[in-house]
Amino acid sequence: MPSNKKDKPRYSADPTHSYGFLTPRFWHGMGLGTWLSLLATRQCRLSPRSMLTAASITPVSAFNSMMGVWSNFRYGRRIHRQVLAEPPLFVLGHWRSGTTLLHELLITDPEHTYPNTYECMSPLHHLATQRYATPLTSWLLPSKRPMDNIEAGWDKPQEDEFALCNLGLPSPYLCWAFPRNGPVHSEYLDLRQVPKRSRRRWQALLKLFVKSIAVARNKRIVLKSPPHTARVRWLLEVFPNAKFVHISRDPLKLFPSTLRLWKSLADVQGLQPNLPEYEWMEEEVLKNLVVMYQAYREDRELIPEGNLCELRYENLVADPKAEISRMYDELSLGDYARIEPGVDSYIERTRDYQTNRFELPADVKARVRDRWGIYFDMFEYGEVGSER
């Protein structure tokens, strides 16, 4: 990364919404104990702008804890007894590889459902409060995601990794709360070095969260969190009949887009003074892909035949209907005709959407090729990142 602070940082974030202290951060969904623990274990030097945000999280987290007790009393037994209508469908892939696009297409199926933003932000009590809270608080949210201008809102699909954070589980995503301190909980990316007892707790809370979504809407639940790409073996222990769809993309596009995403999240979710470059992120992005795909390469052999489909972003964008139809056939998800009207509608709504464009310097291209050789090889991308 460039060291001259006067230079414009590479792949800089460009938030499209002013995140004031009233705008909910994901950390607003924590219980009081989880929030105080986060403050106690991190060097939480706050920026003046973020002091009000942090001050607002404390009473909200106390509310979350109280409502969590009530929700557990009201729904706990029902959640534990809930039987899933269908095994979950996991969307796998690196950040910015097209997982959001694929997720959005899959949830147009009327027989699918998903964890929405409110449920991921309020996992302790969403069953008790969602009906009342979302109409009253929707004005607090930005209309677009800051990293890619995709529509945002309480009802939009969200990564369940944020729900796991708010349930008190360690996660690499917690780095965005205090980005000055660099990466945290890297061992939870693939869970391989996590003690068995802690991993069992992670699995149990994921299962409870998924079952809580089924209590609200018992259909096939489509889950999308990039870290799950490295956790297939542990997901199969919880959901042995789960289905998986993986999407890959030109790694020379993944790298700058992921950096921009991470910086944007640190800017809008962080509670510390902004850094112009977040110098630790480039190395962390490079390292994380290798960890993810070493794990995925080992674990995908464990997936039962007929429960994994692999797509390429480039093909999905070029002919989404053909790729989704192929996926439905390979995963035995049912008649594609059921989802076709929704796919057509989504394509029409997003026809004018433009992806971000990046020009990588030659030295960065060389570094990506060198460090991410596993990805180039696994998904057959050419030497310059184009398809062979």
Side-chain angles (χ1 to χ4, degrees), residues 195-213:
K196 184 176 181 178
R197 182 176 180 181
S198 298
R199 192 167 60 241
R200 293 298 187 201
R201 178 172 179 264
W202 184 93
Q203 291 174 311
L205 287 179
L206 172 64
K207 186 175 184 178
L208 281 176
F209 177 67
V210 171
K211 291 173 80 171
S212 77
I213 302 302

Side-chain angles (χ1 to χ4, degrees), residues 86 107-113 218-221 333 338:
E86 297 284 352
I107 64 175
T108 64
D109 188 330
E111 295 190 14
H112 290 171
T113 189
N218 198 11
K219 304 177 180 181
R220 187 188 298 278
I221 300 171
L333 293 176
R338 184 180 72 234

Side-chain angles (χ1 to χ4, degrees), residues 30-289:
M30 292 178 170
L32 183 60
T34 301
W35 168 240
L36 294 180
S37 176
L38 179 64
L39 292 177
T41 57
R42 304 293 285 149
Q43 300 173 21
C44 51
R45 182 160 61 90
L46 303 174
S47 67
R49 184 192 72 173
S50 297
M51 287 181 180
L52 287 173
T53 300
S56 73
I57 293 176
T58 302
V60 173
S61 67
F63 171 81
N64 292 334
S65 293
M66 290 187 294
M67 290 305 302
V69 172
W70 162 247
S71 186
N72 186 56
F73 173 77
R74 177 70 176 82
Y75 296 101
R77 183 175 297 180
R78 185 175 171 188
I79 292 172
H80 280 277
R81 292 179 174 177
Q82 181 67 48
V83 176
L84 300 182
E86 297 284 352
L89 170 59
F90 289 92
V91 176
L92 307 179
H94 193 270
W95 295 275
R96 310 305 298 149
S97 62
T99 55
T100 297
L101 169 62
L102 185 52
H103 198 197
E104 295 270 5
L105 289 167
L106 283 168
I107 64 175
T108 64
D109 188 330
E111 295 190 14
H112 290 171
T113 189
Y114 56 91
N116 65 36
T117 298
Y118 186 84
E119 290 160 345
C120 290
M121 194 162 171
S122 304
L124 291 168
H125 55 78
H126 67 86
L127 287 170
T129 60
Q130 181 166 200
R131 180 188 307 176
Y132 311 103
T134 53
L136 297 175
T137 57
S138 58
W139 63 275
L140 292 171
L141 271 66
S143 60
K144 303 283 186 180
R145 302 197 321 182
M147 70 290 297
D148 54 16
N149 282 331
I150 288 177
E151 289 184 3
W154 286 132
D155 62 335
K156 301 301 181 184
Q158 189 53 260
E159 295 182 23
D160 56 286
E161 187 75 10
F162 288 109
L164 300 182
C165 289
N166 287 328
L167 288 170
L169 289 172
S171 168
Y173 282 20
L174 292 172
C175 70
W176 295 319
F178 297 103
R180 276 191 179 274
N181 301 333
V184 295
H185 302 304
S186 298
E187 72 278 13
Y188 274 81
L189 179 59
D190 65 354
L191 298 173
R192 276 162 163 72
Q193 301 304 315
V194 172
K196 184 176 181 178
R197 182 176 180 181
S198 298
R199 192 167 60 241
R200 293 298 187 201
R201 178 172 179 264
W202 184 93
Q203 291 174 311
L205 287 179
L206 172 64
K207 186 175 184 178
L208 281 176
F209 177 67
V210 171
K211 291 173 80 171
S212 77
I213 302 302
V215 168
R217 303 174 300 281
N218 198 11
K219 304 177 180 181
R220 187 188 298 278
I221 300 171
V222 185
L223 298 156
K224 188 270 289 190
S225 287
H228 289 338
T229 309
R231 302 165 177 166
V232 169
R233 68 174 57 226
W234 317 121
L235 296 174
L236 285 169
E237 287 185 357
V238 182
F239 305 108
N241 296 314
K243 294 181 182 290
F244 301 87
V245 55
H246 178 276
I247 186 166
S248 60
R249 188 183 184 186
D250 179 349
L252 294 183
K253 296 204 169 50
L254 281 188
F255 178 72
S257 189
T258 300
L259 274 180
R260 184 180 190 274
L261 166 68
W262 281 36
K263 292 175 183 181
S264 178
L265 285 167
D267 284 340
V268 301
Q269 299 290 341
L271 300 171
Q272 289 179 316
N274 290 345
L275 292 177
E277 300 183 31
Y278 297 115
E279 294 167 345
W280 58 270
M281 285 188 183
E282 182 168 323
E283 174 58 28
E284 191 67 8
V285 169
L286 288 168
K287 182 184 76 174
N288 279 347
L289 179 137

